[in-house]
Amino acid sequence: MTDFWFYLKEGIIHILDLDGLDHFYFILSFCILFSFKDWKKIIGLVTAFTFGHCITLFLSGLELVTINADTIELLIPITILLSCINNFYVLLKDKQSKQQLVITYIILLIFGLIHGLGFSNYIKMMLFDDESIVLPLLGFNVGIELAQLLIVTGLLIVLSVFQLLLKSKMRSVRLAINTIIFVLVVMMML
């Protein structure tokens, strides 16, 4: 069980690491469309990412799937840009339909799949040769889920403060945040 806790901590550290701002940008990019009243949707969205991450980490841990690391490093920011483009569409339309919410779930699942592949080499290096990957991957992904929910909670608090202060301008605030994320991710890609 100590392995589980070790990998859980590693999952938390992985998400909260300031060198991995792609996670933060991505979480922020999908959170800006929601508020605390949407907490069930948000938990589902975060879990969709973790589920995708878990699938590809497991498959790559078993060496059933491998993709060039450079390709993955390009695809990760592309998924964030897709999330931002989805946000522009929703915010400019000024309404999120059920179909658009499904698209957001799909984007999060795909990002999880892609990011799981990006992290697979690191997790393989952490495992001992005779070690089962099930418990480490479970612990790691639970850590990822917990850290993401912590970030989501903080972001929703900040968005709630903006909502209280700038009630009628929240759409503009969300558009501005989305634009900033979009620009930062383009700069990350360059």
Side-chain angles (χ1 to χ4, degrees):
M1 195 59 154
T2 58
D3 286 348
F4 176 84
W5 293 112
F6 171 79
Y7 288 104
L8 183 135
K9 287 184 226 170
E10 287 297 310
I12 291 171
I13 290 167
H14 174 64
I15 295 295
L16 298 179
D17 183 6
L18 292 178
D19 289 334
L21 286 174
D22 55 326
H23 288 298
F24 180 75
Y25 295 152
F26 192 73
I27 293 169
L28 182 57
S29 76
F30 75 81
C31 277
I32 62 171
L33 296 178
F34 300 101
S35 63
F36 271 116
K37 68 179 172 58
D38 302 311
W39 66 271
K40 287 180 185 176
K41 290 178 190 171
I42 295 168
I43 289 174
L45 290 166
V46 169
T47 302
F49 168 84
T50 304
F51 183 69
H53 197 273
C54 189
I55 289 171
T56 51
L57 265 178
F58 185 75
L59 292 174
S60 63
L62 293 174
E63 298 182 2
L64 296 173
V65 174
T66 56
I67 294 182
N68 179 296
D70 292 336
T71 303
I72 296 300
E73 291 303 315
L74 176 64
L75 290 174
I76 288 172
I78 287 173
T79 58
I80 301 168
L81 294 177
L82 289 173
S83 178
C84 288
I85 290 167
N86 180 55
N87 291 347
F88 283 128
Y89 179 78
V90 170
L91 291 167
L92 293 174
K93 194 175 175 185
D94 205 24
K95 184 179 174 187
Q96 185 169 25
S97 66
K98 286 184 181 181
Q99 179 184 1
Q100 208 59 39
L101 184 60
V102 169
I103 291 169
T104 304
Y105 275 105
I106 291 168
I107 290 170
L108 276 147
L109 179 64
I110 291 169
F111 181 76
L113 290 168
I114 291 168
H115 195 82
L117 287 171
F119 198 68
S120 64
N121 289 335
Y122 177 74
I123 200 84
K124 283 181 206 172
M125 289 186 320
M126 289 173 52
L127 294 172
F128 298 109
D129 289 336
D130 60 344
E131 187 175 17
S132 166
I133 67 168
V134 175
L135 196 60
L137 288 182
L138 179 63
F140 188 76
N141 282 294
V142 168
I144 285 173
E145 184 81 357
L146 292 173
Q148 288 178 139
L149 291 172
L150 181 67
I151 292 170
V152 166
T153 302
L155 292 172
L156 290 176
I157 290 169
V158 170
L159 287 172
S160 294
V161 169
F162 280 136
Q163 180 73 37
L164 287 171
L165 299 173
L166 306 167
K167 291 177 184 162
S168 64
K169 299 184 191 306
M170 267 318 280
R171 184 168 158 254
S172 298
V173 168
R174 286 182 167 100
L175 278 167
I177 293 169
N178 197 59
T179 303
I180 291 167
I181 296 166
F182 190 89
V183 169
L184 289 171
V185 171
V186 168
M187 289 172 41
M188 183 187 343
M189 288 176 70
L190 299 176

